[in-house]
Amino acid sequence: MWAGLGLALVLCLLPGGGTEHQGHCKEPPEWSIEEENPMMKSRGTVTVVALLQARIVPRLEDLQLKLGSSGLVNITFIVVNHQGHHSQLKYHLLREKVSEDIPVYQQNATQPDVWASLRGKKDDFLIYDRCGRLVFHLGLPYTFLSFPYVEKAIQVAYCENTCGNCSYTVCIHFSLSLLYRSI
């Protein structure tokens, strides 16, 4: 709990607060790529949505491995490419720079812009709890993975009930307590 409070305090002291306060602890607006709704598919896991373009792509798989080695598993990483024509042309470069295990979504120019729907900008990270509620919206420079902000924000979303109880978390605890009773 203290680690989460410390991160929240640090983020509040940053210029601009380090997070997008509007929409905090609310579900994201409906968005999809083609007919697929990535947020619905990731329900039940902590979800990290990275808004990236093909220029400089952070090593998300390194972060994923580091979190996994700390026991934080079942974290869904999603990359959404920019909707612009230039970004669409460079989609294959972005796809090459991201691990095969992390989906990279290419927006269709005829659909509503996901970045605009999420009120995001290039290199923003949006971190959602297991119930799909926004816990943190981090922007540059706090999304450089050489800094601890993204990792700590994921840890808070994973380990704490910042946005209140989550039925997915309760079900996990409830199932484990039933398992222990039956032993």
Side-chain angles (χ1 to χ4, degrees):
M1 178 176 145
W2 291 109
L5 282 168
L7 175 65
L9 179 60
V10 166
L11 290 173
C12 288
L13 295 174
L14 297 173
T19 66
E20 174 90 17
H21 291 288
Q22 196 169 17
H24 182 72
C25 287
K26 293 186 179 164
E27 291 192 23
E30 283 292 318
W31 63 274
S32 61
I33 305 289
E34 302 291 331
E35 300 298 318
E36 190 174 345
N37 184 332
M39 292 302 294
M40 287 305 291
K41 286 177 55 176
S42 68
R43 225 13 99 86
T45 68
V46 169
T47 304
V48 180
V49 178
L51 306 179
L52 302 175
Q53 290 177 306
R55 291 182 194 124
I56 299 172
V57 178
R59 303 274 306 160
L60 296 175
E61 58 273 3
D62 292 346
L63 177 60
Q64 194 175 34
L65 288 170
K66 184 176 181 183
L67 292 166
S69 68
S70 300
L72 289 101
V73 294
N74 239 2
I75 298 172
T76 301
F77 284 83
I78 297 170
V79 174
V80 180
N81 191 22
H82 189 263
Q83 190 178 34
H85 179 69
H86 182 70
S87 295
Q88 288 185 357
L89 293 175
K90 301 237 179 201
Y91 169 77
H92 68 283
L93 295 173
L94 179 61
R95 178 67 263 172
E96 288 173 5
K97 293 179 180 181
V98 177
S99 166
E100 293 177 4
D101 300 331
I102 299 173
V104 178
Y105 291 97
Q106 174 58 58
Q107 297 189 63
N108 184 328
T110 62
Q111 291 186 296
D113 182 12
V114 173
W115 287 25
S117 297
L118 297 174
R119 297 184 177 177
K121 298 182 294 247
K122 180 180 157 326
D123 297 325
D124 280 5
F125 278 71
L126 293 89
I127 295 125
Y128 297 91
D129 68 8
R130 289 174 180 86
C131 283
R133 299 171 296 196
L134 180 64
V135 180
F136 291 102
H137 182 161
L138 302 175
L140 286 174
Y142 309 107
T143 57
F144 289 123
L145 295 183
S146 56
F147 295 146
Y149 302 111
V150 172
E151 180 181 350
K152 295 297 181 192
I154 293 169
Q155 290 172 348
V156 168
Y158 193 96
C159 299
E160 299 181 21
N161 290 328
T162 305
C163 294
N165 289 331
C166 176
S167 60
Y168 289 102
T169 306
V170 171
C171 290
I172 291 168
H173 292 304
F174 181 69
S175 299
L176 287 175
S177 67
L178 286 177
L179 176 68
Y180 289 124
R181 282 188 207 157
S182 65
I183 296 178

